[in-house]
Amino acid sequence: MKTRQIPLQQYAFLNKYLEGDNESFFEIISPQIGFVVIDFNLLEERLTSFLCQIISDRSDAKGLIITHSMSYNAKVDLLDRYAGYMNNIREKSIESHRKLIEDIKESGRLRNLVVHAEWDTVDKDGYAFVKLRSQRNDIVQEFAQLDVDSLIDIRNKIIDTYNSFDTYEEWYYDAL
């Protein structure tokens, strides 16, 4: 996904594309945005389910009590710390642990870009305002190209991360 940064002008809206009718663009990308949200929800549920399994293999209740009010990032942190601890006491490491954690975090970052983008600012090239950044005594507005191809790439990343849980679970339980 391509991004660009533009220094903040006197007024933030001056860098945002607010011309023309974006309805046809929205009609094209809306299904992909929905698929990103659905696939991410499946990934988060898979993460929660795995946490429940490793917390207690007898019932999901303990795991659900623990994870009930946790944010996505808190669940990722719990998995990282818990699996890291188990790897340490078993003196075995799961090869794919670090990559899975990075992929889960990246999936969350990409989902947030899509969900929190200012879609009404999208220009004819598919760039939408996604974030305000402070950089060396300057403020810049970040725009991400969230066109159909980019959204499909994001969706595929989330699906690949979801699917990588199969291998990770095998390695996790083999290490027990």
Side-chain angles (χ1 to χ4, degrees), residues 4 6-20 118 120-123 127-129 131-132 139-143:
R4 64 179 178 211
I6 301 172
L8 181 66
Q9 295 185 28
Q10 181 179 3
Y11 298 105
F13 72 86
L14 293 175
N15 287 336
K16 298 176 182 178
Y17 180 79
L18 301 172
E19 303 292 321
E118 287 188 20
D120 62 332
T121 67
V122 71
D123 67 14
Y127 282 89
F129 174 72
K131 190 173 279 193
L132 194 63
I139 300 173
V140 296
Q141 292 172 297
E142 184 174 319
F143 296 81

Side-chain angles (χ1 to χ4, degrees), residues 83-135:
Y85 171 74
M86 294 305 289
N87 288 339
N88 187 43
I89 64 172
R90 290 184 301 218
E91 297 179 355
K92 291 183 177 180
S93 64
I94 300 171
E95 293 176 27
S96 66
H97 177 74
R98 186 57 30 220
K99 177 159 178 23
L100 179 68
I101 295 299
E102 289 169 8
D103 289 347
I104 293 172
K105 287 179 179 180
E106 179 65 1
S107 292
R109 186 188 76 78
L110 293 170
R111 175 258 182 211
N112 285 343
L113 278 180
V114 171
V115 171
H116 297 291
E118 287 188 20
W119 287 103
D120 62 332
T121 67
V122 71
D123 67 14
K124 60 188 181 307
D125 297 320
Y127 282 89
F129 174 72
V130 292
K131 190 173 279 193
L132 194 63
R133 295 188 181 273
S134 294
Q135 294 181 341

Side-chain angles (χ1 to χ4, degrees), residues 39-40 42-54 72 75-76 79-80 83 94 96-97 99-101 103-105 107 157-173:
D39 291 328
F40 180 81
L42 292 171
L43 173 62
E44 184 170 11
E45 178 54 34
R46 181 84 187 257
L47 172 62
T48 302
S49 177
F50 183 65
L51 285 169
C52 289
Q53 288 174 19
I54 64 177
Y72 178 77
K75 292 176 187 178
V76 175
L79 174 62
D80 191 21
I94 300 171
S96 66
H97 177 74
K99 177 159 178 23
L100 179 68
I101 295 299
D103 289 347
I104 293 172
K105 287 179 179 180
S107 292
K157 174 66 175 177
I158 293 169
I159 291 168
D160 290 346
T161 302
Y162 177 93
N163 291 335
S164 68
F165 262 101
D166 291 334
T167 306
Y168 185 83
E169 284 183 37
E170 286 177 28
W171 284 339
Y172 183 88
Y173 289 116

